[in-house]
Amino acid sequence: PMSAVPPNLPSPRDENWKYANLRGVARAPFESSPAPSAEDLARVAAALPKPLPGYERVVLVDGHSARSLSTLDCAGLAQRAESISSTDRYFLHLNRTHRTETQRIVVAANTRRAIELVVVSLGTSHPAIEIEVGAGGALSLIERHLSLGAAVTITNVALVGNVGAHAALELSRIGHHGPKAQFLDTIDLQFAEGAIGKVVQLTAGGAATRTTAFIEHAGRDASLEWHSTALGEGSQHHDTFVRVAHAAPGARTLQQFRGIASGRSRIGFNGHMRVEAAAIGAQSDQSLKCLLAGTEAEADVRPQLEIYTDAVKASHGATVGKLDPDMLFYLLSRGIPEEAAASLLKWAFVSDVLARLPSASLRTEVEASLERLLPGAVAARAGT
């Protein structure tokens, strides 16, 4: 029931929400949209990208399984809502209150799976994904988020998972949101001894997006690489908060963020690294960088270190600036038009993140989709 939901949305007064823009959802009805009609499914089918070679496919429409468009069915009953008092997990509780079903992805011990999850939004939805990777197993999961049409869509995703001992999770998250999309997601992952995690995330489009992530290195020598990029234009607002808890010896995290804010857009990234007293020999490395490509654009990057042991290696850096004028002059002096030169420099800024996507087909599609934001960059990079 709605009475079980904390009474107030997070606000800029809350420490980890000061850069988020929740005005678009402040008065929104959060009840899930009904199951898609045959007409809706036909629209979705026409808009779906081609399946990725080697990947099983799951398609969700407004949080409902679209079995006719999928090659894999992993839907189960929705969990009963649990009481969550934490402001940072507000939208996770909202998801558990309103989700219609739960996609449960299980990888047995010492086996490998590759799954493409396409999440399509037409109205209001609370997609729910649960991941369980057994000891020694490996999962490559690609999430693709699409909004169809020009209508307002509200998507509130919950992704919760456990990665077993010496298992691997490769999570790629591609967000191409509609112009009026309000996108929120909560990620909660735990890594056991020797587990390896890799997250690659691209956010583009939408009116406002917010990612809230909680990662725990619960086992010795667990490790995570987090690579993400956000591209803002117009008045878009993209915000991310990632909290990584190093709770065991030898835990390691590498975090890289690259954002480009154009027009009047605003980009925020808050990376909070916590190293517990038991995490002897832990390592943490943060690199957070943003480019301002608009006179009214704003970027807020905030690396945080919270350390309770001396036996740790930790580094962090954060920069916000404009395109390098020397590099721009160099390209202009070689006869490259100014717009293409600026696009090339922006492309170079984010390409290291995009290069980490696991599928060549996916990388090609993503690069092509960015042609409007970075005109000429793809063709120039390919030598065409």
Side-chain angles (χ1 to χ4, degrees):
M2 285 299 294
S3 60
V5 177
N8 298 309
L9 285 169
S11 77
R13 293 187 298 274
D14 296 301
E15 181 66 19
N16 296 324
W17 296 84
K18 60 173 58 179
Y19 307 136
N21 177 6
L22 301 179
R23 291 189 296 272
V25 299
R27 297 185 178 180
F30 279 105
E31 291 78 7
S32 295
S33 296
S37 64
E39 182 180 351
D40 291 333
L41 291 175
R43 286 177 56 207
V44 171
L48 286 177
K50 294 180 180 179
L52 294 173
Y55 282 78
E56 301 173 276
R57 170 173 272 192
V58 178
V59 178
L60 306 182
V61 180
D62 282 342
H64 302 270
S65 294
R67 291 175 173 84
S68 62
L69 304 177
S70 306
T71 62
L72 175 67
D73 185 1
C74 54
L77 296 176
Q79 284 186 339
R80 188 174 61 184
E82 301 174 15
S83 177
I84 299 175
S85 59
S86 167
T87 300
D88 291 333
R89 287 180 166 84
Y90 177 93
F91 288 101
L92 175 59
H93 181 57
L94 203 63
N95 178 285
R96 288 178 174 172
T97 301
H98 293 291
R99 63 176 58 175
T100 55
E101 58 187 52
T102 299
Q103 308 300 315
R104 184 161 173 78
I105 298 172
V106 179
V107 179
N110 301 311
T111 61
R112 305 178 65 88
R113 297 190 73 178
I115 297 173
E116 177 194 21
L117 179 64
V118 185
V119 181
V120 182
S121 297
L122 304 176
T124 298
S125 62
H126 300 270
I129 305 109
E130 294 183 357
I131 298 170
E132 193 75 35
V133 185
L139 171 64
S140 177
L141 177 63
I142 294 175
E143 284 182 73
R144 307 176 80 165
H145 295 276
L146 308 173
S147 306
L148 297 189
V152 175
T153 61
I154 298 175
T155 309
N156 176 33
V157 178
L159 190 155
V160 178
N162 292 289
V163 183
H166 306 287
L169 171 64
E170 187 174 48
L171 177 61
S172 304
R173 316 187 75 233
I174 312 299
H176 288 298
H177 308 292
K180 296 183 180 180
Q182 303 283 335
F183 181 85
L184 309 131
D185 61 341
T186 306
I187 302 171
D188 202 332
L189 298 173
Q190 186 175 83
F191 292 88
E193 178 178 353
I196 299 172
K198 179 181 176 183
V199 178
V200 181
Q201 179 163 321
L202 164 67
T203 300
T209 70
R210 161 71 182 210
T211 290
T212 305
F214 302 94
I215 312 293
E216 183 181 7
H217 293 316
R220 177 185 292 270
D221 296 326
S223 66
L224 170 72
E225 292 185 19
W226 182 288
H227 305 277
S228 62
T229 185
L231 305 176
E233 60 176 335
S235 59
Q236 294 171 356
H237 198 132
H238 302 308
D239 184 49
T240 302
F241 169 69
V242 181
R243 181 182 183 273
V244 183
H246 302 73
R252 301 181 304 279
T253 300
L254 170 64
Q255 187 177 79
Q256 176 191 38
F257 173 73
R258 301 291 182 262
I260 301 177
S262 304
R264 296 181 291 110
S265 64
R266 182 173 182 178
I267 290 176
F269 189 96
N270 182 354
H272 182 178
M273 300 289 186
R274 179 183 173 94
V275 181
E276 305 287 358
I280 298 170
Q283 298 182 38
S284 168
D285 185 6
Q286 289 177 287
S287 174
L288 315 179
K289 298 181 180 181
C290 270
L291 278 180
L292 295 177
T295 56
E296 298 180 70
E298 182 176 337
D300 304 280
V301 288
R302 183 184 181 191
Q304 297 186 71
L305 294 175
E306 186 179 355
I307 300 174
Y308 296 95
T309 178
D310 293 331
V312 62
K313 292 182 180 180
S315 65
H316 66 277
T319 60
V320 175
K322 297 184 178 182
L323 291 174
D324 187 328
D326 293 334
M327 291 298 297
L328 187 59
F329 175 78
Y330 175 83
L331 294 177
L332 295 176
S333 70
R334 295 302 186 270
I336 299 176
E338 184 172 0
E339 183 180 29
S343 293
L344 279 171
L345 292 179
K346 293 175 185 177
W347 184 264
F349 187 70
V350 301
S351 62
D352 186 45
V353 173
L354 301 180
R356 298 175 187 275
L357 292 170
S359 162
S361 299
L362 179 62
R363 287 196 299 273
T364 299
E365 289 183 27
V366 169
E367 290 173 0
S369 71
L370 298 178
E371 178 67 20
R372 185 183 60 79
L373 289 174
L374 305 175
V378 175
R381 186 186 63 81
T384 59

